[in-house]
Protein backbone atom coordinates (compact mmCIF):
# COMPACT_ATOMS: atom_id res chain seq x y z
CA UNK A 1 0.00 0.00 0.00
CA UNK A 2 1.29 3.44 -0.91
CA UNK A 3 0.60 6.52 1.24
CA UNK A 4 2.18 9.46 -0.55
CA UNK A 5 5.89 8.64 -0.81
CA UNK A 6 5.69 5.83 1.77
CA UNK A 7 5.30 2.18 0.90
CA UNK A 8 3.46 0.47 3.74
CA UNK A 9 4.49 -3.16 3.94
CA UNK A 10 3.15 -5.45 5.15
CA UNK A 11 -0.40 -4.17 4.68
CA UNK A 12 -1.31 -4.79 8.31
CA UNK A 13 -1.32 -1.69 10.51
CA UNK A 14 -1.88 -0.80 14.13
CA UNK A 15 -5.04 1.27 14.83
CA UNK A 16 -4.65 4.46 16.86
CA UNK A 17 -5.84 3.83 20.42
CA UNK A 18 -5.71 6.61 23.00
CA UNK A 19 -4.04 5.37 26.16
CA UNK A 20 -2.65 2.31 24.37
CA UNK A 21 -0.65 3.11 21.24
CA UNK A 22 2.06 5.12 22.95
CA UNK A 23 5.59 5.19 21.56
CA UNK A 24 6.83 2.01 23.30
CA UNK A 25 3.80 0.05 22.06
CA UNK A 26 4.05 1.43 18.52
CA UNK A 27 7.73 0.53 18.36
CA UNK A 28 6.97 -2.96 19.67
CA UNK A 29 4.21 -3.53 17.10
CA UNK A 30 6.42 -2.26 14.28
CA UNK A 31 9.23 -4.59 15.38
CA UNK A 32 6.71 -7.44 15.37
CA UNK A 33 5.51 -6.77 11.85
CA UNK A 34 3.09 -3.82 11.74
CA UNK A 35 3.55 -1.92 8.49
CA UNK A 36 2.42 1.33 10.13
CA UNK A 37 1.46 2.43 13.63
CA UNK A 38 -0.44 5.67 14.14
CA UNK A 39 0.02 7.58 17.36
CA UNK A 40 -2.66 8.14 19.97
CA UNK A 41 -4.72 11.19 19.04
CA UNK A 42 -3.31 14.54 20.06
CA UNK A 43 -5.68 17.38 20.70
CA UNK A 44 -5.56 20.25 18.22
CA UNK A 45 -6.04 22.92 20.91
CA UNK A 46 -2.57 24.42 21.53
CA UNK A 47 -3.39 25.13 25.19
CA UNK A 48 -2.91 21.41 25.84
CA UNK A 49 0.33 20.88 23.96
CA UNK A 50 2.51 21.45 26.99
CA UNK A 51 0.78 18.97 29.31
CA UNK A 52 2.80 15.92 30.32
CA UNK A 53 0.42 13.69 28.36
CA UNK A 54 0.75 15.72 25.16
CA UNK A 55 4.51 15.92 25.46
CA UNK A 56 4.64 12.11 25.64
CA UNK A 57 2.21 11.81 22.74
CA UNK A 58 4.28 14.15 20.57
CA UNK A 59 7.57 12.40 21.32
CA UNK A 60 8.61 10.44 18.23
CA UNK A 61 12.38 10.34 18.76
CA UNK A 62 13.81 7.07 17.47
CA UNK A 63 10.57 5.86 15.86
CA UNK A 64 10.99 4.16 12.51
CA UNK A 65 9.53 5.97 9.48
CA UNK A 66 6.91 6.71 8.50
CA UNK A 67 5.78 8.41 11.71
CA UNK A 68 2.01 8.83 11.60
CA UNK A 69 0.44 11.22 14.10
CA UNK A 70 -3.28 11.46 14.69
CA UNK A 71 -4.90 14.79 15.46
CA UNK A 72 -8.40 15.46 16.81
CA UNK A 73 -10.45 18.63 16.90
CA UNK A 74 -13.29 20.56 15.32
CA UNK A 75 -11.88 23.88 14.08
CA UNK A 76 -10.32 23.78 10.59
CA UNK A 77 -7.73 26.48 11.37
CA UNK A 78 -6.79 24.88 14.68
CA UNK A 79 -6.43 21.44 13.13
CA UNK A 80 -4.29 22.93 10.35
CA UNK A 81 -2.06 24.55 12.98
CA UNK A 82 -1.87 21.27 14.92
CA UNK A 83 -0.87 19.45 11.74
CA UNK A 84 1.92 21.97 11.09
CA UNK A 85 3.10 21.74 14.71
CA UNK A 86 3.24 17.95 14.61
CA UNK A 87 5.09 17.94 11.29
CA UNK A 88 7.62 20.31 12.87
CA UNK A 89 7.92 17.74 15.67
CA UNK A 90 8.58 14.74 13.46
CA UNK A 91 5.23 13.65 11.95
CA UNK A 92 5.64 12.27 8.42
CA UNK A 93 1.95 11.44 8.00
CA UNK A 94 -0.93 13.34 9.61
CA UNK A 95 -4.02 11.28 10.40
CA UNK A 96 -7.31 13.00 11.23
CA UNK A 97 -9.58 11.36 13.79
CA UNK A 98 -13.21 11.11 12.71
CA UNK A 99 -13.51 7.61 14.13
CA UNK A 100 -13.62 8.11 17.88
CA UNK A 101 -17.13 7.51 19.29
CA UNK A 102 -16.63 9.19 22.68
CA UNK A 103 -19.58 11.51 23.31
CA UNK A 104 -17.27 14.41 23.53
CA UNK A 105 -13.65 14.23 22.53
CA UNK A 106 -11.81 16.91 24.42
CA UNK A 107 -15.03 18.72 25.30
CA UNK A 108 -16.03 19.23 21.69
CA UNK A 109 -18.00 17.30 19.11
CA UNK A 110 -14.86 15.92 17.52
CA UNK A 111 -14.06 12.38 16.40
CA UNK A 112 -16.86 10.54 14.61
CA UNK A 113 -19.37 13.21 15.67
CA UNK A 114 -17.89 15.36 12.91
CA UNK A 115 -19.35 13.00 10.32
CA UNK A 116 -22.75 14.60 10.91
CA UNK A 117 -21.57 17.82 9.29
CA UNK A 118 -20.24 17.08 5.81
CA UNK A 119 -19.54 20.74 4.98
CA UNK A 120 -17.38 21.05 8.10
CA UNK A 121 -15.60 17.81 7.22
CA UNK A 122 -14.69 19.28 3.82
CA UNK A 123 -13.40 22.50 5.41
CA UNK A 124 -11.28 20.57 7.92
CA UNK A 125 -9.77 18.23 5.35
CA UNK A 126 -8.99 21.03 2.90
CA UNK A 127 -7.42 23.16 5.64
CA UNK A 128 -5.19 20.38 6.93
CA UNK A 129 -4.12 19.16 3.49
CA UNK A 130 -3.21 22.73 2.51
CA UNK A 131 -1.28 23.29 5.75
CA UNK A 132 1.33 20.56 5.43
CA UNK A 133 3.44 18.99 2.72
CA UNK A 134 3.20 15.47 4.16
CA UNK A 135 0.42 12.99 3.30
CA UNK A 136 -2.80 13.44 5.27
CA UNK A 137 -4.96 10.40 6.03
CA UNK A 138 -8.41 10.12 7.57
CA UNK A 139 -10.06 7.62 9.91
CA UNK A 140 -13.86 7.37 9.96
CA UNK A 141 -16.71 5.08 10.97
CA UNK A 142 -19.46 3.93 8.60
CA UNK A 143 -21.67 6.79 9.75
CA UNK A 144 -23.31 8.60 12.60
CA UNK A 145 -26.00 5.97 13.21
CA UNK A 146 -27.71 3.09 11.36
CA UNK A 147 -30.03 5.58 9.60
CA UNK A 148 -27.19 7.93 8.64
CA UNK A 149 -24.53 5.68 7.17
CA UNK A 150 -22.88 8.49 5.23
CA UNK A 151 -19.32 7.16 5.10
CA UNK A 152 -19.46 6.96 1.26
CA UNK A 153 -20.21 10.70 1.05
CA UNK A 154 -17.40 11.48 3.50
CA UNK A 155 -15.07 9.19 1.57
CA UNK A 156 -15.76 11.10 -1.66
CA UNK A 157 -15.12 14.41 0.14
CA UNK A 158 -11.89 12.95 1.51
CA UNK A 159 -10.56 11.91 -1.87
CA UNK A 160 -11.57 15.22 -3.47
CA UNK A 161 -9.85 17.10 -0.64
CA UNK A 162 -6.51 15.39 -1.22
CA UNK A 163 -6.61 12.77 1.53
CA UNK A 164 -4.05 10.08 0.70
CA UNK A 165 -5.60 7.06 2.49
CA UNK A 166 -8.84 6.32 4.30
CA UNK A 167 -9.32 3.95 7.25
CA UNK A 168 -12.89 2.84 7.95
CA UNK A 169 -14.10 1.14 11.13
CA UNK A 170 -17.11 -0.98 10.18
CA UNK A 171 -19.41 0.39 12.86
CA UNK A 172 -21.52 3.51 13.16
CA UNK A 173 -20.77 6.06 15.85
CA UNK A 174 -23.80 5.12 17.95
CA UNK A 175 -22.73 1.46 17.98
CA UNK A 176 -19.60 2.33 19.96
CA UNK A 177 -18.01 -1.15 20.20
CA UNK A 178 -21.24 -3.13 20.43
CA UNK A 179 -22.24 -5.84 17.96
CA UNK A 180 -20.00 -6.84 15.11
CA UNK A 181 -18.31 -4.76 12.46
CA UNK A 182 -19.86 -4.84 8.99
CA UNK A 183 -17.70 -4.77 5.92
CA UNK A 184 -20.20 -4.12 3.09
CA UNK A 185 -19.93 -0.35 3.49
CA UNK A 186 -16.14 -0.61 3.40
CA UNK A 187 -16.35 -2.71 0.22
CA UNK A 188 -18.66 -0.14 -1.41
CA UNK A 189 -16.28 2.69 -0.55
CA UNK A 190 -13.25 0.80 -1.78
CA UNK A 191 -15.02 0.20 -5.10
CA UNK A 192 -15.63 3.92 -5.64
CA UNK A 193 -12.28 5.41 -4.53
CA UNK A 194 -8.84 5.58 -6.10
CA UNK A 195 -6.98 6.23 -2.83
CA UNK A 196 -5.98 3.31 -0.55
CA UNK A 197 -8.61 2.06 1.90
CA UNK A 198 -7.85 0.38 5.22
CA UNK A 199 -10.50 -1.95 6.64
CA UNK A 200 -10.88 -1.84 10.41
CA UNK A 201 -13.03 -3.54 13.03
CA UNK A 202 -12.87 -6.91 14.80
CA UNK A 203 -9.84 -8.22 12.91
CA UNK A 204 -8.42 -10.59 15.51
CA UNK A 205 -6.73 -13.41 13.58
CA UNK A 206 -4.86 -14.08 10.34
CA UNK A 207 -7.90 -15.84 8.83
CA UNK A 208 -10.20 -12.96 9.74
CA UNK A 209 -7.74 -10.52 8.16
CA UNK A 210 -7.76 -12.52 4.96
CA UNK A 211 -11.57 -12.71 4.92
CA UNK A 212 -11.92 -8.96 5.49
CA UNK A 213 -9.41 -8.13 2.75
CA UNK A 214 -11.20 -10.46 0.34
CA UNK A 215 -14.66 -9.17 1.21
CA UNK A 216 -13.79 -5.50 1.05
CA UNK A 217 -11.01 -5.43 -1.55
CA UNK A 218 -9.27 -3.06 0.89
CA UNK A 219 -5.59 -2.30 0.53
CA UNK A 220 -4.77 -3.07 4.18
CA UNK A 221 -6.29 -4.21 7.45
CA UNK A 222 -6.05 -2.14 10.60
CA UNK A 223 -5.89 -3.99 13.92
CA UNK A 224 -6.69 -2.38 17.26
CA UNK A 225 -7.82 -4.27 20.34
CA UNK A 226 -6.50 -7.65 19.23
CA UNK A 227 -2.95 -6.29 19.30
CA UNK A 228 -3.12 -5.45 22.98
CA UNK A 229 -1.58 -8.41 24.76
CA UNK A 230 -0.76 -10.01 21.41
CA UNK A 231 1.50 -7.60 19.51
CA UNK A 232 2.90 -10.48 17.41
CA UNK A 233 -0.48 -10.64 15.63
CA UNK A 234 1.02 -8.39 12.94
CA UNK A 235 3.67 -10.88 11.88
CA UNK A 236 1.11 -13.70 12.18
CA UNK A 237 -1.28 -11.92 9.81
CA UNK A 238 1.48 -10.83 7.43
CA UNK A 239 2.87 -14.36 7.26
CA UNK A 240 -0.55 -15.88 6.62
CA UNK A 241 -1.39 -13.37 3.91
CA UNK A 242 1.95 -14.02 2.20
CA UNK A 243 2.03 -17.82 2.49
CA UNK A 244 -1.40 -19.12 3.47
CA UNK A 245 0.31 -20.84 6.43
CA UNK A 246 -0.24 -20.08 10.11
CA UNK A 247 2.84 -19.24 12.16
CA UNK A 248 3.21 -21.22 15.38
CA UNK A 249 2.49 -19.08 18.47
CA UNK A 250 5.56 -17.53 20.07
CA UNK A 251 7.30 -19.67 22.69
CA UNK A 252 7.02 -18.66 26.33
CA UNK A 253 10.72 -17.74 26.20
CA UNK A 254 10.04 -15.34 23.34
CA UNK A 255 6.96 -13.91 25.07
CA UNK A 256 9.06 -13.37 28.20
CA UNK A 257 11.68 -11.48 26.15
CA UNK A 258 9.00 -9.33 24.47
CA UNK A 259 7.31 -8.62 27.78
CA UNK A 260 10.50 -7.66 29.62
CA UNK A 261 11.67 -5.54 26.71
CA UNK A 262 8.33 -3.71 26.64
CA UNK A 263 8.48 -3.18 30.40
CA UNK A 264 11.97 -1.71 30.15
CA UNK A 265 10.86 0.60 27.33
CA UNK A 266 7.80 1.77 29.30
CA UNK A 267 9.93 2.57 32.35
CA UNK A 268 12.46 4.43 30.21
CA UNK A 269 9.70 6.43 28.46
CA UNK A 270 7.46 7.29 31.44
CA UNK A 271 9.81 6.96 34.40
CA UNK A 272 9.60 4.27 37.11
CA UNK A 273 6.38 5.35 38.81
CA UNK A 274 4.12 6.04 35.81
CA UNK A 275 5.81 3.24 33.86
CA UNK A 276 4.66 0.60 36.36
CA UNK A 277 1.06 1.82 36.19
CA UNK A 278 0.98 1.94 32.41
CA UNK A 279 2.74 -1.43 32.11
CA UNK A 280 -0.09 -3.13 34.00
CA UNK A 281 -2.67 -2.55 31.29
CA UNK A 282 -0.33 -3.68 28.52
CA UNK A 283 1.13 -6.74 30.19
CA UNK A 284 -1.92 -8.10 31.99
CA UNK A 285 -3.16 -9.73 28.80
CA UNK A 286 0.01 -11.47 27.75
CA UNK A 287 0.32 -15.24 28.02
CA UNK A 288 2.00 -16.31 31.24
CA UNK A 289 0.96 -13.18 33.16
CA UNK A 290 -1.74 -12.98 35.80
CA UNK A 291 -5.04 -11.60 34.53
CA UNK A 292 -8.13 -10.28 36.14
CA UNK A 293 -10.38 -11.19 33.23
CA UNK A 294 -10.69 -14.32 31.13
CA UNK A 295 -8.72 -14.01 27.89
CA UNK A 296 -11.80 -14.47 25.74
CA UNK A 297 -13.63 -11.76 27.65
CA UNK A 298 -10.69 -9.46 27.33
CA UNK A 299 -10.12 -9.69 23.62
CA UNK A 300 -13.48 -10.29 22.01
CA UNK A 301 -15.22 -7.21 23.36
CA UNK A 302 -13.60 -4.64 25.64
CA UNK A 303 -14.81 -4.93 29.23
CA UNK A 304 -15.74 -1.25 29.31
CA UNK A 305 -15.92 1.57 26.78
CA UNK A 306 -12.49 2.96 25.97
CA UNK A 307 -11.38 6.09 27.74
CA UNK A 308 -10.44 8.78 25.31
CA UNK A 309 -8.46 11.64 26.64
CA UNK A 310 -6.54 13.93 24.45
CA UNK A 311 -4.67 16.43 26.52
C1 LIG B 1 -8.89 2.02 24.05
C2 LIG B 1 -9.21 2.51 22.67
C3 LIG B 1 -8.81 3.78 22.29
C4 LIG B 1 -9.08 4.25 21.01
N1 LIG B 1 -8.62 5.49 20.64
C5 LIG B 1 -8.80 5.91 19.37
C6 LIG B 1 -8.21 7.13 18.93
O1 LIG B 1 -7.53 7.84 19.67
N2 LIG B 1 -8.41 7.50 17.64
C7 LIG B 1 -9.16 6.74 16.76
O2 LIG B 1 -9.31 7.11 15.60
N3 LIG B 1 -9.72 5.58 17.16
C8 LIG B 1 -9.53 5.14 18.43
N4 LIG B 1 -10.03 3.93 18.81
C9 LIG B 1 -10.71 3.08 17.80
C10 LIG B 1 -9.71 2.10 17.16
O3 LIG B 1 -8.74 2.79 16.41
C11 LIG B 1 -10.43 1.11 16.25
O4 LIG B 1 -11.09 1.82 15.24
C12 LIG B 1 -11.45 0.25 17.00
O5 LIG B 1 -10.90 -0.27 18.20
C13 LIG B 1 -11.92 -0.92 16.12
O6 LIG B 1 -10.84 -1.75 15.76
P1 LIG B 1 -10.57 -3.15 16.50
O7 LIG B 1 -11.84 -3.96 16.44
O8 LIG B 1 -9.45 -3.80 15.72
O9 LIG B 1 -10.20 -2.85 17.91
C14 LIG B 1 -9.80 3.45 20.09
C15 LIG B 1 -10.21 2.17 20.49
C16 LIG B 1 -9.92 1.70 21.75
C17 LIG B 1 -10.36 0.31 22.14
Amino acid sequence: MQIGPYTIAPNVVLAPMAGVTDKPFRQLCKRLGAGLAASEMTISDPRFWTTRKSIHRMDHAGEPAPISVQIAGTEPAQLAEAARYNVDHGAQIIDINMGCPAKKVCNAWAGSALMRDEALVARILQAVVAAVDVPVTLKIRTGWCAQVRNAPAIARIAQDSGIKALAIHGRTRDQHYIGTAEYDTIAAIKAMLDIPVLANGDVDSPRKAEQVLKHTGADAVMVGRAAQGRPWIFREIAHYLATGQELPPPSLTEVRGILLGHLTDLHAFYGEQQGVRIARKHLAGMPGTARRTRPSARWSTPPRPPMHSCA
Side-chain angles (χ1 to χ4, degrees):
M1 177 177 58
Q2 198 68 23
I3 301 184
Y6 301 110
T7 303
I8 309 300
N11 59 344
V12 189
V13 314
L14 174 65
M17 289 185 286
V20 179
T21 55
D22 55 13
K23 185 167 85 166
F25 191 65
R26 294 195 298 275
Q27 287 179 310
L28 177 64
C29 291
K30 279 189 172 174
R31 274 200 301 277
L32 289 170
L36 182 69
S39 73
E40 311 167 83
M41 64 178 155
T42 47
I43 187 170
S44 59
D45 187 335
R47 287 174 302 170
F48 295 96
W49 292 347
T50 49
T51 63
R52 189 171 64 162
K53 194 180 275 184
S54 284
I55 288 166
H56 274 132
R57 287 187 179 189
M58 291 180 188
D59 176 354
H60 306 291
E63 262 191 83
I67 295 166
S68 172
V69 174
Q70 191 182 65
I71 56 174
T74 55
E75 297 285 328
Q78 208 173 58
L79 276 151
E81 189 49 41
R84 271 192 291 268
Y85 184 86
N86 278 287
V87 169
D88 288 346
H89 287 77
Q92 295 165 314
I93 295 174
I94 291 291
D95 185 53
I96 302 177
N97 177 357
M98 293 190 193
C100 170
K103 194 164 186 185
K104 286 190 176 181
V105 180
C106 314
N107 292 323
W109 287 99
S112 49
L114 284 172
M115 290 182 68
R116 284 187 310 177
D117 188 342
E118 293 174 15
L120 177 59
V121 168
R123 288 204 305 280
I124 287 174
L125 301 186
Q126 287 156 14
V128 175
V129 168
V132 290
D133 55 9
V134 304
V136 180
T137 60
L138 175 66
K139 181 159 175 290
I140 61 174
R141 287 190 165 223
T142 53
W144 169 255
C145 61
Q147 292 71 39
V148 189
R149 226 177 267 261
N150 64 334
I154 302 279
R156 177 68 67 195
I157 292 169
Q159 179 165 288
D160 293 347
S161 303
I163 291 296
K164 292 288 189 275
L166 178 70
I168 309 156
H169 176 190
R171 285 185 177 83
T172 53
R173 185 226 170 242
D174 68 346
Q175 275 183 285
H176 291 258
Y177 293 87
I178 297 162
T180 50
E182 59 93 3
Y183 306 108
D184 290 347
T185 307
I186 301 176
I189 291 172
K190 171 60 195 170
M192 67 183 231
L193 292 191
D194 299 322
I195 57 173
V197 168
L198 297 87
N200 172 235
D202 299 350
V203 175
D204 58 1
S205 71
R207 282 172 197 272
K208 183 74 184 272
E210 187 192 47
Q211 284 162 14
V212 169
L213 285 173
K214 269 199 182 134
H215 187 91
T216 59
D219 301 271
V221 279
M222 176 180 266
V223 179
R225 291 164 294 170
Q228 214 187 344
R230 189 183 164 190
W232 45 84
I233 192 171
F234 297 100
R235 75 176 181 205
E236 291 177 340
I237 293 176
H239 184 82
Y240 187 77
L241 293 178
T243 66
Q245 307 290 318
E246 300 226 17
L247 273 181
S251 67
L252 269 185
T253 310
E254 187 184 6
V255 170
R256 180 175 179 274
I258 291 171
L259 196 148
L260 290 177
H262 191 193
L263 193 60
T264 306
D265 291 346
L266 286 169
H267 285 182
F269 190 61
Y270 290 107
E272 283 300 313
Q273 211 177 353
Q274 207 191 352
V276 169
R277 195 168 51 75
I278 290 175
R280 267 190 226 133
K281 72 180 162 194
H282 281 288
L283 305 185
M286 287 210 178
T289 60
R291 340 167 164 261
R292 286 193 198 145
T293 52
R294 286 177 296 117
S296 56
R298 187 176 173 83
W299 300 127
S300 52
T301 45
R304 59 187 162 79
M307 300 278 289
H308 297 278
S309 56
C310 319

